[in-house]
Amino acid sequence: MSTILSVEDLKVDIPLAGGVLHAVRGIDFDLKRGETLCIVGESGSGKSLTSLAIMGLLPKMAQCRAAKLEFSGIDLSKAKNRQMRSLRGDRMSMIFQEPMTSLNPAYTIGDQLAEALLLHRKVGKKAAEARAVELLEKVGITAAASRLGQYPHQLSGGLRQRVMIAMALMGEPELIIADEPTTALDVTIQAQILRLLVDLQREMNMAMILITHDLGVVARVADKVAIMYAGEVVEAGKSADVFNAPQHPYTRGLLRCIPVPGKTKPGEHLGSIPGIVPSLIGETQGCAFRGRCDVAIGSCAHDIPRRVSESGHMYRCVHEGGQPAANAIQSEGRP
């Protein structure tokens, strides 16, 4: 499979009154056609800003730069606004977190779906509406033709999210980014939406970036995983590698927070990670997780090595395998 998206040393800075917020700090990953990459991390770790940077939708005050930001041979870092508009909604699409704020309440569902195709294809309105009905049926909406005349407030949350998925697919994109697409939905609808996304991705052979904080979702759908913390990818690799042999202390902490069927007993306490994500305003040095890490040592405050296995499993930690050597904490001391 050919690489469709290549990101190298992506950085996003936001000037604020109190200093510069380094929201995304040197992100690297590649994505091939048909692959699913899940980006995982706590709120504020830079997941959404990474996706907005790829789509060229960052706020005006944000400053984005990258050694490489290439989509299907196109250098997105140098693309003009006109070129980005021609790509968005056509070859690359995004499903946003809250469909009620993403859909325009003043326009019907049919108008908003048809617009996505009319902007990028030389088709008439009837052909665009026929395509909208086809996709609404594909995403599991009944009486699809009658939905075209409805407004967003007339639909449930699950139906609105399905409309957003249909809208993202109108141009048959090569890349789709889903930013926590099930956050506002109940559990049963979440499962339906995720299964729908995975089925459509396989059917259309799209590359997909799924942004979430739910590791249970990741385990079911991801080919590759990138664990983000404080604007950095601290661990990345094939899904099986990351789940079966997590190397970074933060990844292990996240996994301890999840109940394991057949192993976690009823009433048993789950793991937790103390503290909060540190401020990213101003210059930072060393491992941003060291203040919350139970194996942190003095050298964690300095440059952190980037370790990569033969299988491509990458993590950033001073400890090889994420585990300290014998008596390392006692001999060197915490930072």
Side-chain angles (χ1 to χ4, degrees):
M1 293 184 291
S2 59
T3 298
I4 194 169
L5 179 67
S6 185
V7 178
E8 185 178 326
D9 197 25
L10 173 65
K11 297 177 181 177
V12 177
D13 296 333
I14 303 176
L16 301 174
V20 177
L21 173 66
H22 301 288
V24 178
R25 304 185 294 144
I27 297 296
D28 302 293
F29 65 83
D30 290 323
L31 187 63
K32 295 180 180 179
R33 189 180 299 275
E35 277 188 333
T36 298
L37 167 68
C38 283
I39 302 179
V40 187
E42 295 173 78
S43 297
S45 60
K47 306 185 303 295
S48 294
L49 282 176
T50 298
S51 66
L52 292 175
I54 294 169
M55 295 294 294
L57 293 173
L58 287 169
K60 290 183 179 179
M61 64 189 302
Q63 301 167 354
C64 177
R65 60 189 187 279
K68 185 178 184 181
L69 185 57
E70 187 173 286
F71 167 72
S72 195
I74 301 169
D75 188 346
L76 299 180
S77 64
K78 297 180 180 178
K80 303 297 183 183
N81 287 336
R82 181 187 293 273
Q83 187 176 18
M84 288 303 300
R85 284 197 299 269
S86 70
L87 290 173
R88 287 194 298 263
D90 184 20
R91 298 180 63 188
M92 51 196 298
S93 295
M94 186 166 177
I95 302 168
F96 295 92
Q97 186 170 348
E98 176 45 68
M100 195 60 201
T101 58
S102 302
L103 293 169
N104 193 322
Y107 292 90
T108 64
I109 297 301
D111 286 340
Q112 295 183 66
L113 285 168
E115 181 185 31
L117 197 61
L118 293 172
L119 286 172
H120 299 287
R121 299 283 192 276
K122 293 181 179 180
V123 299
K125 188 171 183 181
K126 285 188 176 180
E129 289 179 346
R131 171 69 173 165
V133 171
E134 176 190 347
L135 284 173
L136 288 178
E137 291 174 345
K138 187 179 286 291
V139 299
I141 294 180
T142 57
S146 65
R147 303 287 186 180
L148 297 184
Q150 292 183 319
Y151 290 85
H153 72 272
Q154 295 176 288
L155 304 179
S156 67
L159 287 178
R160 286 195 294 265
Q161 194 61 284
R162 290 172 188 267
V163 169
M164 286 297 299
I165 294 172
M167 186 181 297
L169 298 175
M170 286 292 286
E172 299 183 7
E174 301 164 51
L175 169 68
I176 190 165
I177 300 176
D179 185 2
E180 301 197 36
T182 61
T183 297
L185 307 177
D186 63 61
V187 175
T188 55
I189 300 300
Q190 284 183 17
Q192 293 173 16
I193 295 297
L194 286 169
R195 174 48 55 192
L196 173 63
L197 277 172
V198 172
D199 290 345
L200 290 171
Q201 182 221 7
R202 289 173 180 169
E203 179 183 338
M204 299 182 176
N205 196 32
M206 300 179 295
M208 181 166 71
I209 297 175
L210 177 61
I211 296 170
T212 182
H213 55 261
D214 189 338
L215 284 171
V217 169
V218 176
R220 293 196 299 271
V221 305
D223 296 305
K224 297 192 293 191
V225 183
I227 307 293
M228 284 192 71
Y229 184 80
E232 288 185 308
V233 172
V234 296
E235 184 165 359
K238 296 177 182 177
S239 178
D241 290 345
V242 173
F243 277 91
N244 294 332
Q247 302 296 300
H248 196 278
Y250 178 60
T251 308
R252 291 200 296 272
L254 291 177
L255 291 172
R256 284 196 297 268
C257 299
I258 304 173
V260 180
K263 292 185 178 180
T264 305
K265 299 177 181 179
E268 183 178 342
H269 288 290
L270 298 177
S272 63
I273 303 175
I276 59 174
V277 178
S279 171
L280 297 180
I281 296 177
E283 295 301 322
T284 57
Q285 188 176 13
C287 177
F289 185 61
R290 67 183 186 273
R292 307 171 67 186
C293 181
D294 56 4
V295 295
I297 56 178
S299 55
C300 294
H302 306 295
D303 292 339
I304 307 300
R306 184 177 185 271
R307 305 178 188 274
V308 185
S309 71
E310 292 183 2
S311 66
H313 189 172
M314 184 282 295
Y315 66 98
R316 299 174 185 271
C317 188
V318 296
H319 303 299
E320 190 167 356
Q323 298 280 9
N327 300 321
I329 296 179
Q330 289 82 359
S331 62
E332 190 170 349
R334 291 188 60 119

